[in-house]
Amino acid sequence: MNETLLQNDGAGSLPDRIYARVVEAILRGDFAPHNKLPTEGALSAQFGVSRPTVREALARLRSDGIIDSRRGAGSTVIRAPGSPIVVATPVKSMADIERYYAFRSCVEMGAAAGAAEFRDADDLEALQLAFEALNTAMEGGESGADEDVRFHLAIARASHNPFFVTTIDTTVAPIRQFIELARNVTDKKSLARVRTTQAEHQAIVDAIVRRSPGDAAEAIRIHILNAKRRIFENTPLR
């Protein structure tokens, strides 16, 4: 689309229309949360506008909290337009961690069952890529926290239920990252622990591939139960 066509495409300035087009693409799922946007040059070519026009639209997306941009790293979608900016419920005690894992289990069992029932070929490809990225991070001695979030979000997106996606993205993931960060300060994952966690993830993927909602829900229940057990074994939170 070139600037002439955009000029005839509704009201508002040219950057406003680029902003609207990017928002539409995010809502369609073309650019998912935690994934990068195309470069300024690529967006300029896609919409047939100048880079300064794209830059102005991206600045507005940043100010609205939809994307985050870092020099040399490009722009990343951090939340879907219209979704609330949620402050995670504070975790103050071991009892709070117990409550969190009970909540997380309910949400993610539903998401996994939905993924097994409604996933399509694109969902399976995205899930496999996220699974492989998580494995690579863990085997490289990294925490894998970001990759783990993307893996669980891939499961939620495969359910084609936006309520699961939003809940996991804005409520489940931030608290999990906080807890796992506290653990990872002192706990370096052994190879045996990495293999155990990988097997748990593989069981979830396999059940979704087989279109078995019951098995998918049970596999993620076991994974979350074991994740809680690992937290209580290694995190000195009070």
Side-chain angles (χ1 to χ4, degrees), residues 90-92 97 173-183 237:
V91 176
K92 298 179 179 179
I97 295 178
I175 300 176
R176 180 170 72 227
Q177 286 179 304
F178 162 78
I179 294 171
E180 293 185 354
L181 176 62
R183 183 194 70 195
L237 293 179

Side-chain angles (χ1 to χ4, degrees), residues 35-176:
N35 288 348
K36 286 187 176 181
L37 285 178
T39 64
E40 282 185 7
L43 289 172
S44 176
Q46 177 180 343
F47 295 117
V49 299
S50 64
R51 286 196 180 197
T53 297
V54 170
R55 199 169 297 129
E56 188 174 341
L58 294 179
R60 181 179 164 192
L61 289 163
R62 279 194 300 276
S63 69
D64 287 350
I66 295 171
I67 67 170
D68 179 48
S69 300
R70 297 184 182 182
R71 186 179 298 276
S75 298
T76 302
V77 179
I78 57 177
R79 70 181 181 91
S83 64
I85 301 175
V86 177
V87 177
T89 302
V91 176
K92 298 179 179 179
S93 66
M94 294 299 252
D96 284 341
I97 295 178
E98 285 274 14
R99 296 183 189 103
Y100 162 73
Y101 275 97
F103 166 75
R104 179 185 168 190
S105 183
C106 290
V107 172
E108 296 210 48
M109 285 175 67
E117 184 173 0
F118 298 111
R119 94 304 187 272
D120 57 27
D122 290 340
D123 296 323
L124 291 183
E125 181 180 1
L127 181 60
Q128 187 61 39
L129 288 173
F131 179 49
E132 291 170 359
L134 176 55
N135 285 341
T136 298
M138 293 176 65
E139 290 173 359
E142 302 172 19
S143 73
D146 290 340
E147 290 81 5
D148 188 55
V149 167
R150 285 191 283 271
F151 174 71
H152 285 268
L153 279 171
I155 294 170
R157 284 194 287 270
S159 74
H160 294 267
N161 186 328
F163 293 99
F164 283 131
V165 178
T166 299
T167 301
I168 290 172
D169 189 29
T170 63
T171 304
V172 173
I175 300 176
R176 180 170 72 227

Side-chain angles (χ1 to χ4, degrees), residues 20-35:
R21 291 302 179 111
V22 174
V23 165
E24 289 171 3
I26 294 171
L27 291 173
R28 283 198 308 269
D30 297 347
F31 309 133
H34 304 290
N35 288 348

